[in-house]
């Protein structure tokens, strides 16, 4: 895919040095715990080949490679070279039980054969692939293509609290504190305007489940966290 057809590419190549810190602050330190939970759900079925899609600075890939059986291998893929540099530096200092390699690539054109992975995990990037993104159908068909039949696609992502009052408070929190804090620490207003707008209008757990079933997954279960402001979805092909 040529660069002009890659929505958000500019935002993610202007990755701030404080990217991890910003995530930690606005999730009150919970994002690391949620990724560990996502990794545990990926590893439950003892996958051999594992993909961290849109790996960013590599935290989910590293959690996977620390806990996966020694016979498995983990790949992290992202289209931002700047994110991948940070991921590689972090992985070099981590104690891993399995091989971990990072690949520069686009979800719209995954460089793997059909049914290559036993499990695919994605942390805080499924919204980028599916919120008002013209390439969504292509992304979903690529994910389904490279996942084995019976394999899991595990997503941790922002969601919508079912309770209306809590949903309103969550949106207020996003529009005020998260936007202000993200913009001040990163100096990248566009990135945090996008984050707050997309997170407050993103799918409910039910809508996301419907999208995945339409894309070809057999079952989807959702586990709400933080009153439903975040959720982990496990889709099985
Ligand atoms: C919000 S960050 C999340 C990063 C990481 N997974 C985490 O948990 O912090 C979204 C990531 O998705 C990557 N990304 C977005 N669209 C992509 C695409 N079409 N192909 C590959 N990577 C993509 C961006 O470069 C960025 O690193």
């Amino acid at each position: 895919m040529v660069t002009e057809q890659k929505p958000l590419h500019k935002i993610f190549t202007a990755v701030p040095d404080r990217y991890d810190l910003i995530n930690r602050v606005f999730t009150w330190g919970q994002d690391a715990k949620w990724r560990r939970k996502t990794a545990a759900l990926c590893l439950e079925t003892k996958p051999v080949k594992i993909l961290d899609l849109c790996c960013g600075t590599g935290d989910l890939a590293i959690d996977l490679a620390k806990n996966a059986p020694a016979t498995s291998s983990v790949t992290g893929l992202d289209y931002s070279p700047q994110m991948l540099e940070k991921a590689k530096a972090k992985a070099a200092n981590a104690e891993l039980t399995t091989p971990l390699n990072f690949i520069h690539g686009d979800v719209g054109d995954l460089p793997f054969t059909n049914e290559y992975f036993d499990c695919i995990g994605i942390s805080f990037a499924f919204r980028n692939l599916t919120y008002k993104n013209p390439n969504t159908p292509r992304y979903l068909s690529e994910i389904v293509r490279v996942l084995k039949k019976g394999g899991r696609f595990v997503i941790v992502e922002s969601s919508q609290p079912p309770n209306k009052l809590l949903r309103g408070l969550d949106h207020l929190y996003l529009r005020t504190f998260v936007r202000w804090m993200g913009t001040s620490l990163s100096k990248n207003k566009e990135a945090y305007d996008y984050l707050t707008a997309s997170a407050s209008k993103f799918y409910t757990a039910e809508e996301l489940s419907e999208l995945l079933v339409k894309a070809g997954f057999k079952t989807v279960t959702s586990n709400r966290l933080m009153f439903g402001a975040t959720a982990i979805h496990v889709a099985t092909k």
Side-chain angles (χ1 to χ4, degrees):
M1 271 189 176
V2 289
T3 308
E4 306 80 70
Q5 292 169 333
K6 291 179 180 173
L8 310 174
H9 190 260
K10 199 171 106 228
I11 286 182
F12 291 119
T13 47
V15 52
D17 283 336
R18 292 169 170 164
Y19 174 80
D20 287 338
L21 171 73
I22 297 169
N23 288 343
R24 220 83 339 131
V25 173
F26 77 72
T27 65
W28 303 94
Q30 297 296 297
D31 64 316
K33 198 170 94 189
W34 297 334
R35 283 195 200 83
R36 282 199 294 276
K37 201 165 175 171
T38 304
L41 285 164
C42 278
L43 298 176
E44 232 173 36
T45 54
K46 311 255 176 294
V48 179
K49 288 186 187 136
I50 308 162
L51 175 65
D52 174 8
L53 198 65
C54 302
C55 64
T57 61
D59 286 348
L60 178 63
I62 291 169
D63 279 344
L64 288 162
K66 275 183 176 169
N67 296 294
T71 47
S72 51
S73 65
V74 179
T75 302
L77 177 136
D78 204 286
Y79 69 4
S80 163
Q82 289 80 350
M83 289 278 191
L84 288 171
E85 279 315 304
K86 287 181 189 283
K88 284 177 193 164
K90 247 191 240 176
N93 293 315
E95 276 187 33
L96 309 176
T97 56
T98 66
L100 166 60
N101 72 310
F102 290 101
I103 293 185
H104 180 237
D106 192 302
V107 182
D109 194 8
L110 290 173
F112 310 106
T113 53
N114 294 354
E115 308 221 354
Y116 186 79
F117 290 103
D118 300 288
C119 184
I120 302 176
I122 185 166
S123 57
F124 304 107
F126 193 68
R127 181 168 32 84
N128 307 139
L129 301 181
T130 54
Y131 173 74
K132 289 192 179 171
N133 192 321
N135 297 330
T136 299
R138 171 81 189 168
Y139 293 149
L140 291 173
S141 81
E142 278 295 90
I143 294 166
V144 172
R145 179 182 69 75
V146 302
L147 183 63
K148 277 198 184 127
K149 195 166 173 225
R152 277 186 179 182
F153 179 40
V154 186
I155 304 166
V156 58
E157 189 49 81
S158 62
S159 188
Q160 302 295 342
N163 178 295
K164 276 198 178 147
L165 176 65
L166 293 175
R167 191 183 291 195
L169 289 173
D170 178 44
H171 293 178
L172 185 67
Y173 175 68
L174 287 166
R175 283 198 307 268
T176 55
F177 179 71
V178 172
R179 177 184 280 161
W180 167 78
M181 191 273 302
T183 305
S184 324
L185 288 181
S186 69
K187 311 285 177 229
N188 186 342
K189 184 172 179 307
E190 189 191 1
Y192 288 88
D193 280 351
Y194 166 77
L195 170 80
T196 51
S198 59
S200 47
K201 292 185 195 125
F202 194 52
Y203 296 124
T204 61
E206 291 76 15
E207 288 164 344
L208 191 136
S209 166
E210 213 173 289
L211 179 77
L212 291 167
V213 168
K214 274 194 191 140
F217 287 94
K218 280 221 170 80
T219 58
V220 184
T221 56
S222 300
N223 180 354
R224 290 189 168 99
L225 307 159
M226 283 260 275
F227 313 110
T230 300
I232 301 182
H233 313 272
V234 179
T236 306
K237 181 172 160 186

